[in-house]
Amino acid sequence: MAIRIYNTLTRQKEEFKPLREGEVRMYVCGPTVYDYPHLGHARTYIAFDVIRRYLEHRGYTVLMVMNFTDIDDKIIKRANETGEDPKELAEKFLRIFLEDMKALKVKPADVYPRVTEHMEDIINFVKKLQEKGYAYEGSDGVYFEVRKFKDYGKLSKIKLEDLVKGARVEPGEGKRNPEDFALWKKAKPGEPKWKSPWGEGRPGWHIECSTMSSKYLGESFDIHGGGNDLIFPHHENEIAQSEACFGHEWVHYWMHTGFLMLNGEKMSKSLGNFVTVRELLKRYDPEVIRLFVLQRHYRSPLDYSEEGIEHAKNNLERLYNTLENIRVAMERAEIAFRWDEPEFRAYEAIRDARRKFYEAMDDDFNTAEALKAVFEVSNAINRYLTEVEKPKESILRKAWEFFRDVGEVFGLFEDYFKEQRAGNEEELINLLVEVRAQLRKERRFDLADRIREELRKLGIQLEDTPQGTVWKRIKV
RNA sequence: GCCGGGAUAGCCUAGAGGCGAGGCGAGGGACUGCAGAUCCCUUUCACCCGGGUUCAAAUCCCGGUCCCGGCUCCA
């Protein structure tokens, strides 16, 4: 079955067909680095991380590009407030962003083009627009003449008349028309600046994405993504610049993530109602945050609440328990010389859930729906384990492999599957378990419980079952 | 004003014409020296309101109510 993607451009789900066979080229708008990333950023980047992982899982080679806006009005403003050098400030928060994303297990992009590393390319792009008659130089900068681009508004469905009427567009001294936007801003005294044919200055915000995406992905590519708030004006302007310059369709699929909401309001720096990624990571495992995000469809607004995160934590705990149950059961599993009803039932449940998982992900990356399938396997395998004395190795393996695939796509259970059990740690634990078993036989429960308590503090949980005592690692 | 998204059991979320949606929480039971994990049962025939179409509507249509977002820097 084919993957279907909701395209903001057409406002409907479309079958995904990459421009080049087997390859997906995608660009996701990165942050302006002037502050700590908050959960809203995390939401968007985790969403695109899972989209990227899924495409890779389905066999595509994905070329992923994410930009850094490392020079911009906001950065200059913040630097002036704190007395820092704008370059150093940007550098600092760029590093912090990368660290936070790594902590959240977001796979790094293949290229992270920075504006300050691409001045020449940007200037050339503006020149081309000027040559083609879409751009003009004003007293304070170079502007894109919006009314010359006939398709303006096709992404956001905004009509030019309404835009002008809305009067929210700023007239600006150097502009011919209020709706025009800056491609190049001439530097005011004391501002960071680069040389250009129009004097010293810096690029406008939108031109960088047009320039850098086409540099790495070509004059047309598959997916361009970002937060919902970028549809207008940022992405609308990118389309205008790029299609004016190249003379043909630029991006095939536009994808946008819903906002992260806090008490009914969009979480944002300007509103000041944000929770930073670092803050959250101090209290929760990164996978809890990922699961929290994945429990909601990527296009829907996601409400942040402490309870919501706790829900995610409980859910993740359940999945880890299931993994541990399987692992422990593996030790007493046997080769199947025959199947009985429990085997047939477990097998069918896993088979059906796997199909559901892929169907849900194919349908515009419906992670919330896909998660249902994950819980179905969890339930089926736990039930199987209570039904049989000697579990069949093949059944456990089926479940195990399903979880491994889910983990690969969702960025969960990562450590679990790659974990090398260190040295003779296991033997030591087994020894303690044996000693405790003897103590229990002698009904010396105080000592037995002490061993259990102390191991628990070390992240090892002992569980007494009818088949004897097993030990599990506790993750969250 | 112009675009857009919503309202689903105690809670969080899927679904989008017809076979009891998933999880969490709560209560009960099984297993247990206790704990933990797991399983079973209950909460569970839920879809904002009012009309309409249909053999059949959470789902489609019309009309309301309420909530939220974008149109200005934003992921």
Side-chain angles (χ1 to χ4, degrees), chain A residues 171-221:
Chain A
E173 307 140 47
K175 289 185 187 179
R176 280 185 199 159
N177 316 292
E179 70 276 12
D180 295 349
F181 58 88
L183 298 169
W184 187 264
K185 294 179 174 183
K186 296 183 182 177
K188 295 185 188 108
E191 288 181 346
K193 57 199 177 191
W194 286 261
K195 284 200 179 101
S196 86
W198 318 281
E200 293 181 319
R202 63 179 184 279
W205 175 39
H206 315 296
I207 193 68
E208 59 178 83
C209 285
S210 289
T211 305
M212 300 192 297
S213 60
S214 60
K215 171 162 181 167
Y216 295 100
L217 301 175
E219 291 189 1
S220 57
F221 55 93

Side-chain angles (χ1 to χ4, degrees), chain A residues 1 27 47 62 91 101 115 117 121 150 159 164 170 178 218 226 248 280 290 317 337 348 405 447 469:
Chain A
M1 211 183 99
Y27 185 91
V62 177
E91 183 67 26
M101 288 305 125
V115 177
E117 302 270 348
D121 302 295
K150 57 188 187 321
K159 294 191 194 86
V164 179
E170 284 166 48
H248 56 73
L280 218 51
R290 289 186 76 96
E317 222 167 72
F337 294 113
E348 281 160 20
D405 288 343
L447 269 179
T469 302

Side-chain angles (χ1 to χ4, degrees), chain A residues 221-257:
Chain A
F221 55 93
D222 301 296
I223 297 173
H224 190 134
N228 224 324
D229 43 3
L230 296 182
I231 295 175
F232 190 89
H234 187 54
H235 289 162
E236 196 66 63
N237 291 353
E238 281 186 49
I239 291 175
Q241 294 162 348
S242 302
E243 299 195 351
C245 181
F246 306 138
H248 56 73
E249 194 204 42
W250 178 48
V251 169
H252 206 148
Y253 304 93
W254 285 90
M255 300 183 72
H256 294 94
T257 53

Side-chain angles (χ1 to χ4, degrees), chain A residues 11 27 40 73 76 96 118 145 155 159 222 242 280 282 314 341 353 389 395 411 417 419-420 445 467-468:
Chain A
R11 305 281 155 107
Y27 185 91
D73 296 4
I76 296 171
I96 287 173
H118 293 80
E145 190 155 16
L155 181 70
K159 294 191 194 86
D222 301 296
S242 302
L280 218 51
K282 274 185 209 152
N314 290 341
E341 211 191 307
E389 276 290 308
I395 295 294
F417 282 101
E419 199 167 288
Q420 309 284 324
F445 294 121
Q467 288 86 28

